[in-house]
Amino acid sequence: MDAEGFGELLQQAEQLAAETEAISELPHVERNLQEIQQAGERLRARTLTRTSQETADVKASILLGSRGLDISHISQRLESLSAATTFEPLEPVKDTDIQGFLKNERDNALLSAIEESRRRTFATAEEYHRESMLVEWEQVKQRILHTLLASGEDALDFTQEAEPSFLSDTGPSGRSALDSVEVAYGRQIYVFNEKIVNGHLQPSLGDLCASVAERLDDKNVSEMWAMVKQMTDVLLVPARDALNSRTSVEMQMAFVSRALQFLEQSYKNYTMVTVFGNLHQAQLGGVPGTYQLVRSFLNIKLPGPVPGLQDGEVEGHPVWALIYYCMRCGDLVAAMQVVNRAQHQLGEFKNWFQEYMNSSDRRLAPTAENKLRLHYRRALRNNTDPYKRAVYCLIGKCDITDNHGEVADKTEDYLWLKLNQVCFEEDSTSSPQDRLTLPQLQKQLLEDYGESHFAAGQQPYLYFQVLFLTAQFEAAVAFLFRIERLRSHAVHVALVLYELRLLLMSSGQSARLLSQEPVDPPMIRRLNFIRLLMLYTRKFESTDPREALQYFYFLRNEKDSQGENMFMRCVSELVIESREFDMLLGRLEKDGSRKPGVIDKFAGDTRAIISTVAREAEHKGLFEEAVKLYELAKNPDKVMGLMNKLLSPVVSQVSAPQSNKERLKNMALAIAERYRTQGISAEKSVDSTFFLLLDLITFFDEYHAAHVDRAYDVMERLKLVPLSQDSVEERVTAFINFSDEVRHNLSEVLLATMNILFTQYKRLKGTTPASPARPQRALEDRDSQLRTQARALITFAGMIPYRMAGDTNARLVQMEVLMN
């Protein structure tokens, strides 16, 4: 039975397979059992997913439908919502719909205008923000630069002993940060400024500073100031352009001449000290003068015969040594005396020396100079007498590569020799080894040799002298300024140069302390004088603002990158940093008059400076200080405007002794009293806001003191909020004219007024029943009036175009409900 059933089933399957193979249109698919199972699972999963989604939709419809919501309608509304965040032009309508077309065009024009205005507003705001950031960053950058010493590779010299940082505390408050040297210099600066301010003849700042060196009893400082006075005592009047003046041939010749005079006089003093210190060996005698001085000096310098010296002797000393040392002491007449005594051994040299001595610029005529140079190259270049070679090189200005180390064994001697060889005239016939210009010498000393060659760390005065005598004033000052103990000397040397218009200053305030500008000639350096002065005063401006102000007065003719006067800017920063407002700028007396401050001495128009300081204080958020300063500057609009900003946040606070509100209230009342007495008023809107805020302070003081009736009377007189239904519209209209400072307190005003009404309502309900003195009718009328006033407040709160804080409306409604 079973076998027949299976056989029949097999037969039917084979027949079905044969029929399928007979159909050629269908593709023949062969799958094993595993593939059939996987295909079935995929079909089943797809069917279940669709079914579960439909089931979820059905369940959602049942759930929301039971709550009365139509899910299909909600879906349509959600799909119709646009996610666009900006205004988009409307789609055009059919050409035949003229009304629709015009409406569409009008709407498109409006939307385009709004979008363009929005875009322009955002662009303008972004530009303002960017400019503000740039200005603020420039100020921060200047403060950072003024805090550091000098930017660049030589900013900090770590080989020297540790120096105190400008960022460290300057010491206990009230104690001067100036040392004795700085105090002495500061006193001379005060004397100098007093003469200028009072219109007297301007004294010599160099002489004043040099007098400090005399009292210090420091030989190095005294010699330094003697050198500064010598180098700056040029006969030429500097031009308005310091660069053209400094680079002119006349001025450079004057500098070299002054440097030579200083070196020669210093050496002569040295020989005198040496001779008088060894009188027995020197055997000084004869006619007083340079010749006898040099002869006695050689008794010490060259006590015995020296091999290699030529052309005989004069009075027992080598001829060329006598000539050289007479020239080294700056006495050509004495040298000529030696030449005359030994003229038979010197040949043509006497004529050359005679011409050299009589020339105004210490130079031979071209013919004689070429002849001397030729003689030197042929016969003397390898001569064994170092003094003879040195004298020929001095007179002929030749062989600049020879340093003459046997004779010029000290830095001062080398410098004197090279300065004598400097040429200023253009001479195409001279070979390079016979021509030395001042820029070449400057480059050799500053760049080729540099600080390490001269051991500047151990001998700072020597390196300063080397740079200063070669007219590299800016590099000399910048070097000396880097050494903490010598910084005050460097600053005052710079001040002397600045007053004489000999200082080359950086064009930008953000430049390094010592910089070189592309348009300047080679070897010209510029000093950032403003930064130098601000770095120096940074140390003591917080403890000694009077002294700092004296130094800032030198900047009265300078401007910063924004065109602002540097004196006013520095005074502004000084006042804000030191907080010495009354001492520096003056203060107001009780009668409204102004007591002068230190600044009155330096500026005729103090109001401009005080206004600048006030703006800076306002910018930094020091509003209370700014108010006092604006009052000093007689600017009532700013005084009341800032007071409005200060009073607004504290109007509704509870007054307490020593509190912020109490201090501001007393300050505002004093201002109001002064202005009332003097008849001063500000702009109408600012003025009315100021006095309205004062009245609101009175209202809240009465309210917090539980003086309900007095607080109610104040609010009734102010007419700030409606206390009847008839005045609601009027108060809403008037609300538009109120400033933000008043609107900010509206929530607290409404709540306080509603609390007063509610308190009066509770008090009315808690009174005894009607009596002949207070009939029932009067109680009912008062009850009705309080509820009407509460409703007026609610209506007013809902009508004003202002979003009030938090739960104000809810609390107002709650109290109004309790009254009903």
Side-chain angles (χ1 to χ4, degrees), residues 385-621:
D385 191 336
Y387 294 105
K388 185 174 183 179
R389 282 190 287 110
V391 171
Y392 267 85
C393 287
L394 285 169
I395 296 175
K397 298 184 186 295
C398 56
D399 199 8
I400 61 173
T401 56
D402 189 350
N403 292 334
H404 302 280
E406 306 97 321
V407 175
D409 55 344
K410 293 184 178 180
T411 302
E412 292 88 345
D413 299 328
Y414 168 81
L415 195 59
W416 175 79
L417 194 67
K418 290 302 176 185
L419 284 171
N420 266 301
Q421 291 181 309
V422 168
C423 299
F424 295 98
E425 298 85 358
E426 293 293 335
D427 186 3
S428 57
T429 60
S430 298
S431 59
Q433 66 267 22
D434 290 337
R435 178 169 174 77
L436 178 66
T437 63
L438 185 59
Q440 285 176 339
L441 180 60
Q442 291 173 337
K443 180 178 184 300
Q444 187 181 53
L445 297 172
L446 180 65
E447 297 181 0
D448 298 344
Y449 290 161
E451 296 180 23
S452 58
H453 177 83
F454 293 99
Q458 289 72 41
Q459 304 180 81
Y461 289 107
L462 176 63
Y463 188 58
F464 175 81
Q465 185 185 76
V466 167
L467 295 178
F468 208 87
L469 288 175
T470 52
Q472 301 184 83
F473 304 143
E474 294 74 22
V477 170
F479 161 73
L480 207 62
F481 184 80
R482 297 208 321 269
I483 303 172
E484 172 70 24
R485 59 189 174 86
L486 305 178
R487 184 165 296 146
S488 58
H489 303 307
V491 170
H492 291 86
V493 170
L495 288 173
V496 170
L497 293 170
Y498 176 78
E499 283 298 314
L500 294 173
R501 304 292 186 269
L502 290 174
L503 189 68
L504 298 180
M505 297 171 57
S506 304
S507 57
Q509 193 186 339
S510 59
R512 293 170 52 185
L513 195 62
L514 185 67
S515 60
Q516 189 173 15
E517 299 189 359
V519 296
D520 288 343
M523 294 314 299
I524 290 295
R525 299 289 191 275
R526 290 180 179 267
L527 185 72
N528 193 334
F529 176 68
I530 295 175
R531 185 174 164 204
L532 179 95
L533 211 56
M534 295 182 75
L535 277 172
Y536 179 65
T537 56
R538 179 78 62 183
K539 172 186 174 183
F540 57 85
E541 62 184 12
S542 58
T543 58
D544 303 88
R546 288 174 181 266
E547 284 69 21
L549 192 62
Q550 298 285 343
Y551 286 95
F552 291 150
Y553 188 60
F554 284 89
L555 302 178
R556 59 192 179 277
N557 297 320
E558 303 299 328
K559 296 186 181 299
D560 64 4
S561 54
Q562 280 82 40
E564 184 181 357
N565 184 278
M566 279 305 303
F567 174 59
M568 297 178 68
R569 176 178 160 184
C570 290
V571 169
S572 173
E573 294 180 0
L574 174 65
V575 172
I576 292 173
E577 289 293 328
S578 65
R579 298 297 182 92
E580 295 286 355
F581 297 98
D582 295 346
M583 182 189 75
L584 294 173
L585 302 179
R587 59 184 173 87
L588 281 177
E589 302 290 358
K590 291 183 179 180
D591 60 356
S593 62
R594 175 177 170 272
K595 183 179 180 181
V598 180
I599 194 66
D600 289 74
K601 184 190 303 181
F602 298 105
D605 184 14
T606 56
R607 188 179 298 182
I609 294 181
I610 296 173
S611 297
T612 302
V613 179
R615 283 193 296 271
E616 186 66 22
E618 181 185 0
H619 177 70
K620 291 180 179 292

Side-chain angles (χ1 to χ4, degrees), residues 604-659:
D605 184 14
T606 56
R607 188 179 298 182
I609 294 181
I610 296 173
S611 297
T612 302
V613 179
R615 283 193 296 271
E616 186 66 22
E618 181 185 0
H619 177 70
K620 291 180 179 292
L622 305 173
F623 294 125
E624 292 185 45
E625 288 79 2
V627 167
K628 297 175 183 176
L629 293 171
Y630 277 126
E631 194 173 6
L632 276 176
K634 301 188 183 305
N635 190 341
D637 290 343
K638 294 296 292 184
V639 171
M640 291 189 171
L642 286 177
M643 281 307 303
N644 292 342
K645 291 181 179 180
L646 289 170
L647 291 173
S648 181
V650 302
V651 162
S652 59
Q653 295 177 5
V654 180
S655 289
Q658 309 300 322
S659 66

Side-chain angles (χ1 to χ4, degrees), residues 635-706:
N635 190 341
D637 290 343
K638 294 296 292 184
V639 171
M640 291 189 171
L642 286 177
M643 281 307 303
N644 292 342
K645 291 181 179 180
L646 289 170
L647 291 173
S648 181
V650 302
V651 162
S652 59
Q653 295 177 5
V654 180
S655 289
Q658 309 300 322
S659 66
N660 192 30
K661 178 183 178 179
E662 191 69 20
R663 185 183 70 256
L664 291 173
K665 182 178 76 171
N666 294 333
M667 184 177 172
L669 290 173
I671 292 172
E673 179 63 26
R674 276 196 297 271
Y675 281 5
R676 184 188 63 79
T677 305
Q678 299 172 28
I680 298 174
S681 60
E683 186 185 348
K684 187 175 180 181
S685 60
V686 178
D687 197 80
S688 60
T689 299
F690 175 72
F691 286 103
L692 179 56
L693 288 173
L694 282 179
D695 291 334
L696 284 177
I697 288 177
T698 305
F699 165 75
F700 278 105
D701 285 348
E702 299 289 359
Y703 170 71
H704 291 309

Side-chain angles (χ1 to χ4, degrees), residues 736-807:
I736 301 173
N737 298 323
F738 291 136
S739 64
D740 289 337
E741 289 83 7
V742 176
R743 295 182 185 186
H744 175 76
N745 292 281
L746 189 64
S747 301
E748 297 297 331
V749 170
L750 286 171
L751 288 172
T753 307
M754 184 64 84
N755 262 317
I756 291 172
L757 295 177
F758 184 59
T759 303
Q760 290 179 336
Y761 176 79
K762 287 194 298 182
R763 188 174 60 189
L764 183 66
K765 290 299 182 181
T767 57
T768 55
S771 62
R774 296 189 66 185
Q776 183 68 29
R777 179 73 177 173
L779 294 175
E780 291 177 357
D781 289 346
R782 180 58 179 156
D783 179 273
S784 174
Q785 181 189 12
L786 290 173
R787 283 183 288 171
T788 303
Q789 289 175 334
R791 277 195 298 274
L793 291 179
I794 296 291
T795 306
F796 175 74
M799 291 179 64
I800 57 174
Y802 185 74
R803 178 176 293 181
M804 288 184 290
D807 56 347

Side-chain angles (χ1 to χ4, degrees), residues 682-738:
E683 186 185 348
K684 187 175 180 181
S685 60
V686 178
D687 197 80
S688 60
T689 299
F690 175 72
F691 286 103
L692 179 56
L693 288 173
L694 282 179
D695 291 334
L696 284 177
I697 288 177
T698 305
F699 165 75
F700 278 105
D701 285 348
E702 299 289 359
Y703 170 71
H704 291 309
H707 300 153
V708 177
D709 294 331
R710 279 193 277 182
Y712 177 84
D713 292 339
V714 172
M715 186 52 61
E716 191 175 27
R717 289 196 301 271
L718 289 180
K719 296 182 179 181
L720 183 61
V721 296
L723 294 175
S724 67
Q725 287 290 347
D726 298 337
S727 60
V728 172
E729 291 286 345
E730 181 184 350
R731 298 279 79 80
V732 171
T733 305
F735 175 80
I736 301 173
N737 298 323
F738 291 136

